[in-house]
Amino acid sequence: MLFLVWQHYHGPNPIPTRPVDQDVARGPGHQGIPGLTTREEEQEELAYVRPSNPSRKTKPAQGPASFNEVDLLLSSIAKTSQYFLNDVLSGSAFNDMGQRLQVLGTWLQTQETLTPKLSPSQLETLHNHIERATLSLFPFIANPTRPRNAQPFNSLRESYQKGSEGILLVASKPNLRYICHLIQNIRVVLNSSLPIQVAHAGDAMLSPSRRRFLTKLAPNITTMDVTTLLDDHTLELKEGGPAIRSFAALASPFEKVLLMGSLSIFLQPPERILHTHRAFKDTGALLFHHHLYGKGEFKKTHDFWHKHLRSHEPSPALKSSRVYNEGYAEELDPGLVVLDKSRISTLMGLLHVCWQNTKRVRRDYSYAFGDGDRDTWWLGLELSGSPYAWNDGARYGGTLGWLETKPSSSPEENDGKRKSKHERVCGNTNLHLDEEGKPLWFSGSLLKDRRRDEGEYGVWTNWMVDGVWQPRVQQEEDSADCMWGGEVRDLGEGEKVVLGRSVEEAREVDERSRQFPGL
């Protein structure tokens, strides 16, 4: 009967079973659901709830739900919520966490559908069950400044300003210079009017004087201390590192978030992605590929991925991944992640990303088998059943830089395209194109080689995609990352103007920072 009630609202899809993970930690106080053994609990959970895809639109209920039906539904949610509290997941339970988030997403969709039909007491009961389950999975959502708040997850969602869009940066003392360059590039050169929020974790990461400097750079810039909005007890964000990025995205009041890395530079106004990018509009989450390299060299990372995805139905994005399916090195360029948190499915995926970046999970699993938070983004969205897309489909990152031609080169004409194994574009950048095939943004900063000379800015003339990427040779002093085998393209005059002005602004802000006390 309970299943029929659930099916009435969510359709006839079969119930996916959750594989039993021997690493699941139940905790010293585990009592389970009264009267059931461990295995019986598993069956009881599956009988009470069928996780559906929270991204799909829920059909409105046909007519008013009867009192009995609603109570049965609330009872099923209550018992599953209690199961979540009793059955504490271990840090290795990546797939199980994804399935629980699909359940939670279904509850939130149910809440939206049934709210007009519920009595005040039924609505409060539903809210409380969702809060209990969410807080048990993600204790960090509790706001430390509001310890008596009984509904921290609901309060977090209500803090998102309806229809809002914005740019989110994470700043600390080491990357402050590059953050300033990016702000000038966006606000002064490209005239972007999007609000900019700079996140940090405590004064040690970004002092009050540095915050003042940032907010005076341009109009509409604010700062946000993530540790005043989320409980840092299980996060330890103040120790630094990339973990703060996902929590900043969760805590930010922007519904649509452009989370940028400090080394990113834009050639077009970033709001175009929010307003015109078809893949983002279709899915609510847009990611960008890294360079394609290192095939077969990262077996430990791939074994980790395949372990947690072996019982998972791959999304179209995962099916198109050359990194995952062909054994290349790194999937994601962390320089830009675009999210629409107004979509329940995207929010569920973001919670999985955050969970992977909690102190225990990132220390023992996420960062132990990957490069910082890079893999947590696509893996969290994938395991949560949250739709997402890669910019430009299966195309991986290109290179923006200067042309190098070996003396023996003899460029061949292939349908009017300059292609030659002797010509290569070199530059320590990862270039991304828009949907029309024009340069959109790149990671790597405005410097020619930030790892060797912090004073020399780059001079860019050419770009290339769809080639073979060669990382620098560390032993060679003048070595740079290069790409060959693709079409050599000349940088357009408008793009040269954007980069030239961005360098001018960067030099100016470098000089201003030297005169600002406390930096």
Side-chain angles (χ1 to χ4, degrees):
M1 177 62 184
L2 288 172
F3 174 70
L4 293 177
V5 173
W6 193 271
Q7 190 180 58
H8 175 73
Y9 296 105
H10 299 287
N13 293 346
I15 300 173
T17 58
R18 176 167 76 85
V20 178
D21 189 339
Q22 297 301 321
D23 294 332
V24 169
R26 297 180 176 276
H30 172 69
Q31 298 295 324
I33 298 176
L36 294 177
T37 65
T38 300
R39 183 59 185 167
E40 288 168 339
E41 286 179 358
E42 186 78 18
Q43 298 303 317
E44 183 76 0
E45 175 201 17
L46 297 175
Y48 277 119
V49 63
R50 178 190 63 78
S52 65
N53 186 347
S55 66
R56 69 180 180 88
K57 294 181 179 179
T58 306
K59 294 181 180 179
Q62 301 299 316
S66 71
F67 176 83
N68 190 43
E69 285 179 335
V70 171
D71 279 0
L72 286 173
L73 185 57
L74 292 177
S75 176
S76 72
I77 292 176
K79 292 186 177 182
T80 306
S81 175
Q82 185 62 46
Y83 179 87
F84 287 179
L85 266 68
N86 293 336
D87 188 52
V88 181
L89 294 179
S90 73
S92 66
F94 280 54
N95 189 46
D96 293 352
M97 179 59 77
Q99 291 202 17
R100 292 192 179 190
L101 278 162
Q102 291 182 51
V103 172
L104 182 60
T106 302
W107 292 352
L108 291 169
Q109 292 282 18
T110 301
Q111 178 179 272
E112 289 188 355
T113 302
L114 291 183
T115 291
K117 304 177 184 299
L118 298 179
S119 68
S121 62
Q122 288 173 329
L123 187 59
E124 183 178 2
T125 299
L126 180 56
H127 279 159
N128 290 338
H129 291 325
I130 292 175
E131 289 290 337
R132 287 179 66 214
T134 309
L135 193 57
S136 72
L137 296 172
F138 313 108
F140 53 79
I141 64 173
N143 189 321
T145 65
R146 302 178 62 188
R148 296 184 180 181
N149 184 8
Q151 296 187 347
F153 183 53
N154 186 59
S155 296
L156 177 65
R157 294 184 68 201
E158 288 183 345
S159 73
Y160 301 155
Q161 299 166 10
K162 190 172 181 60
S164 60
E165 304 171 339
I167 294 167
L168 180 62
L169 310 175
V170 175
S172 61
K173 182 179 179 181
N175 74 358
L176 184 64
R177 180 190 183 195
Y178 301 110
I179 289 288
C180 293
H181 293 177
L182 175 56
I183 289 175
Q184 299 300 89
N185 162 250
I186 293 169
R187 183 68 87 231
V188 178
V189 178
L190 294 174
N191 295 315
S192 172
S193 60
L194 288 173
I196 298 174
Q197 187 172 56
V198 182
H200 63 99
D203 290 348
M205 179 177 285
L206 194 66
S207 66
S209 62
R210 296 187 178 98
R211 299 200 294 271
R212 285 194 298 272
F213 181 79
L214 285 172
T215 56
K216 291 178 181 296
L217 280 178
N220 205 4
I221 299 175
T222 59
T223 61
M224 171 182 68
D225 185 349
V226 177
T227 62
T228 65
L229 301 171
L230 300 175
D231 187 350
D232 195 42
H233 179 70
T234 61
L235 310 182
E236 296 190 23
L237 299 178
K238 293 180 180 180
E239 67 181 24
I244 185 178
R245 287 162 38 86
S246 58
F247 298 102
L250 182 68
S252 173
F254 302 138
E255 269 194 342
K256 293 181 180 178
V257 180
L258 289 153
L259 174 62
M260 300 179 183
S262 60
L263 301 178
S264 299
I265 293 294
F266 282 75
L267 297 165
Q268 299 181 39
E271 47 262 61
R272 291 184 182 177
I273 300 172
L274 299 176
H275 301 159
T276 65
H277 202 293
R278 290 186 297 273
F280 174 66
K281 288 188 172 183
D282 289 343
T283 63
L286 185 66
L287 308 178
F288 293 78
H289 282 302
H290 197 271
H291 292 115
L292 204 60
Y293 77 102
K295 187 172 184 177
E297 297 178 10
F298 293 82
K299 185 177 185 302
K300 184 177 78 167
T301 298
H302 277 267
D303 288 346
F304 176 77
W305 293 345
H306 285 277
K307 172 187 175 183
H308 294 292
L309 290 165
R310 61 174 174 251
S311 60
H312 172 79
E313 179 64 29
S315 69
L318 186 61
K319 289 178 180 178
S320 72
S321 168
R322 295 190 63 188
V323 168
Y324 182 77
N325 295 301
E326 300 178 32
Y328 286 96
E330 293 178 323
E331 188 74 272
L332 179 123
D333 183 341
L336 180 61
V337 173
V338 192
L339 302 171
D340 182 356
K341 296 185 298 182
S342 69
R343 302 193 186 199
I344 291 174
S345 58
T346 304
L347 184 59
M348 296 300 98
L350 178 56
L351 284 171
H352 198 299
V353 178
C354 289
W355 174 77
Q356 291 180 67
N357 283 276
T358 56
K359 176 60 182 266
R360 178 177 61 122
V361 180
R362 72 175 184 259
R363 179 195 63 206
D364 296 343
Y365 300 99
S366 304
Y367 294 16
F369 293 93
D371 182 8
D373 71 329
R374 287 176 187 263
D375 300 326
T376 65
W377 291 96
W378 69 265
L379 191 58
L381 292 164
E382 181 70 33
L383 286 171
S384 304
S386 307
Y388 68 101
W390 293 102
N391 180 64
D392 216 1
R395 170 174 280 163
Y396 282 74
T399 295
L400 171 69
W402 57 92
L403 186 64
E404 288 190 359
T405 306
K406 293 183 179 180
S408 59
S409 67
S410 54
E412 302 173 358
E413 292 294 328
N414 296 313
D415 299 325
K417 298 179 180 180
R418 290 165 54 196
K419 288 186 178 180
S420 171
K421 65 180 181 180
H422 301 292
E423 283 189 328
R424 59 183 186 174
V425 175
C426 296
N428 302 304
T429 60
N430 189 18
L431 175 67
H432 303 282
L433 309 183
D434 64 13
E435 291 183 296
E436 297 177 355
K438 299 177 181 178
L440 175 61
W441 72 277
F442 65 92
S443 58
S445 85
L446 288 168
L447 299 182
K448 181 179 181 180
D449 188 349
R450 69 184 186 282
R451 290 167 286 194
R452 290 199 173 124
D453 186 348
E454 295 186 353
E456 184 178 5
Y457 283 89
V459 177
W460 303 272
T461 58
N462 298 89
W463 58 276
M464 181 185 290
V465 294
D466 301 330
V468 178
W469 187 66
Q470 296 176 317
R472 68 171 59 223
V473 179
Q474 296 294 342
Q475 294 78 11
E476 296 182 10
E477 183 176 350
D478 296 327
S479 172
D481 301 334
C482 297
M483 180 171 283
W484 61 273
E487 179 186 356
V488 177
R489 302 291 297 269
D490 295 328
L491 201 61
E493 289 303 315
E495 294 150 354
K496 289 180 181 178
V497 169
V498 168
L499 288 172
R501 288 193 59 206
S502 296
V503 169
E504 291 176 3
E505 293 295 333
R507 292 185 189 278
E508 182 180 334
V509 80
D510 285 348
E511 183 60 32
R512 287 168 60 186
S513 67
R514 295 187 188 100
Q515 301 172 6
F516 196 90
L519 293 185

